[in-house]
Amino acid sequence: MALVVICGQPCSGKSKAALSLSEALSESVSESESKRTVKIISETDFHLDRNQSYANMPNEKNLRGVLRSEVDRSLTKDNIVIVDSLNSIKGYRYELWCLARAAGIRYCVLFCDVEETHCRKWNEERRERGEASYDDKIFDDLSSRFERPDRRNRWDSPLFELWPHKDGVEKSSAAINDAVLYLTKKVDSKTRDVKILQPTIATQSGKFSEANSLYELDRATQEVINALVEAQSLALGGRLNGVSVGQGLPTVNILRSVGLPELRRLRRTFIKLTGQTSLSGRPPPSDADSAKRMFVDYLNRELGTH
C-alpha cells in the first residue's frame, strides 16, 4: 500500500517519529481497511550494534543491503512499511523509491529536520543514560556525509518535514497528520494530490524471472537426457520409439543409439538457441513442462532423420 522513508541525522528523533506515525496510522484504520497493517523496519530489528554497523563502508553497505532486502520482502498492497534508519544517502533513497515503484504503491519521505548541535546533545544524553549511542568519530562522519532530502527529487517527494527539537514528536504533529492523510486517502479518478507509483520496465524483476526460466530450462532438459539414457540402457542399443518424459508430454522417437556426449552437445545447443530467441523478443519457457516439450520437439527433429 505504501512505503515511508524516515530520514534524518543520527539522533534526530527518527525512531520516535516512526513510532508516532505507526500509532497514528493504526488509529486511522476503518472497518473497510481492517486488512491494512503497519510495519516498522529498523536497524534494531537485526540486533546490530550501530557503531559496528557504521564503522567502515563495507559494514555500512551490508546494513543498507539487509534493510533494503527486508523492505523488498515486506511490500504488499495491504500494508504500510516504515523504514526507520538514517537513509542519509540520496542514492539509497532512490533505491527504496524504485522498490515502491516496482510494487505499484504510494511513497513518501518523513524528514526529521534537526540541527547537528541538537543531535549531538541528544547523543551525549543517551550515552549518559547508558542507552545506545554513537561514538563521536562515527557521529561526526555520519553528520558530514548526510544528504538533505530535496522535494524536487522524485525519490524525496512528497516530503513531510518534522522539527522534533521545536515541536516534539507527537501523533498530533502537523507533519504526522499530513503524512497519515496522504497515506490513507482514497484514490479515484478525481484525486490529484496523491500519487501511486507505477511499475516500469526498469523496475521489474526481469533478471529474477530470467534466472528462474534458465533454471527450469536446465533442470527440465537434464531430466529428458536422463530418461533417454535410461531407456537406451534398457533397449540394449535397439531402436527407441515412444520414450515418455512426462505425463501429457510428447514422446521421444529416435532412429539410432545416441551416446551421452552427443546428447549433451544437443542439450547445450538447444539451451543456447532458446536464449537467443528470448533475446529477440520471444518469451522463454515459463515452466518445466514447456521446456521439456520444446526440447523433445528439438530432439525429434535433430535425431529422427538420421
Side-chain angles (χ1 to χ4, degrees), residues 38-102:
V38 181
K39 179 178 182 180
I40 298 177
I41 297 176
S42 68
E43 301 169 11
T44 57
D45 295 337
F46 307 99
H47 307 288
L48 300 173
D49 179 81
R50 59 180 57 187
N51 288 306
Q52 184 177 355
S53 298
Y54 293 102
N56 51 58
M57 292 309 296
N59 287 4
E60 185 176 340
K61 184 178 180 180
N62 179 68
L63 172 62
R64 292 198 298 268
V66 170
L67 289 170
R68 182 174 57 247
S69 297
E70 184 63 23
V71 170
D72 194 16
R73 286 192 295 268
S74 302
L75 293 179
T76 69
K77 297 291 185 180
D78 296 321
N79 69 355
I80 297 176
V81 176
I82 302 173
V83 188
D84 174 21
S85 184
L86 292 176
N87 299 316
S88 58
I89 300 175
K90 61 182 179 181
Y92 183 63
R93 295 197 295 272
Y94 173 74
E95 292 179 15
L96 296 176
W97 177 81
C98 287
L99 293 180
R101 187 168 67 169

Side-chain angles (χ1 to χ4, degrees), residues 94-264:
Y94 173 74
E95 292 179 15
L96 296 176
W97 177 81
C98 287
L99 293 180
R101 187 168 67 169
I105 59 177
R106 307 181 199 195
Y107 172 92
C108 69
V109 175
L110 181 61
F111 176 36
C112 293
D113 190 358
V114 182
E115 295 180 2
E116 181 183 338
T117 53
H118 292 284
C119 295
R120 189 180 300 277
K121 178 182 177 182
W122 290 345
N123 185 56
E124 293 174 354
E125 290 176 352
R126 289 184 183 181
R127 187 182 303 160
E128 293 173 357
R129 295 194 300 264
E131 300 175 358
S133 61
Y134 294 94
D135 293 341
D136 291 337
K137 183 178 179 181
I138 293 178
F139 181 92
D140 293 340
D141 177 60
L142 293 175
S143 296
S144 65
R145 292 191 289 113
F146 179 74
E147 296 176 332
R148 292 177 61 90
D150 186 343
R151 64 179 72 254
R152 291 173 296 181
N153 297 327
R154 293 172 296 170
W155 54 89
D156 290 334
S157 177
L159 179 65
F160 301 99
E161 295 178 281
L162 194 64
W163 294 275
H165 65 292
K166 296 179 180 178
D167 307 324
V169 181
E170 303 294 340
K171 291 183 290 184
S172 58
S173 299
I176 298 292
N177 289 333
D178 291 343
V180 170
L181 179 62
Y182 178 83
L183 295 169
T184 58
K185 188 174 184 178
K186 292 184 179 180
V187 178
D188 54 33
S189 59
K190 297 181 180 179
T191 305
R192 297 182 180 274
D193 56 344
V194 176
K195 183 178 181 180
I196 297 179
L197 301 178
Q198 298 300 319
T200 64
I201 294 177
T203 56
Q204 295 301 299
S205 55
K207 293 184 177 180
F208 180 76
S209 300
E210 183 181 344
N212 282 350
S213 298
L214 182 59
Y215 169 77
E216 292 293 345
L217 184 65
D218 184 77
R219 183 171 64 90
T221 53
Q222 185 59 55
E223 289 179 1
V224 173
I225 294 295
N226 293 341
L228 281 175
V229 171
E230 182 179 0
Q232 287 190 124
S233 66
L234 296 176
L236 299 176
R239 178 171 176 171
L240 292 179
N241 282 320
V243 178
S244 175
V245 295
Q247 185 177 4
L249 297 174
T251 58
V252 181
N253 300 296
I254 57 179
L255 303 178
R256 60 180 175 84
S257 177
V258 184
L260 183 58
E262 184 176 0
L263 288 174
R264 287 175 174 171

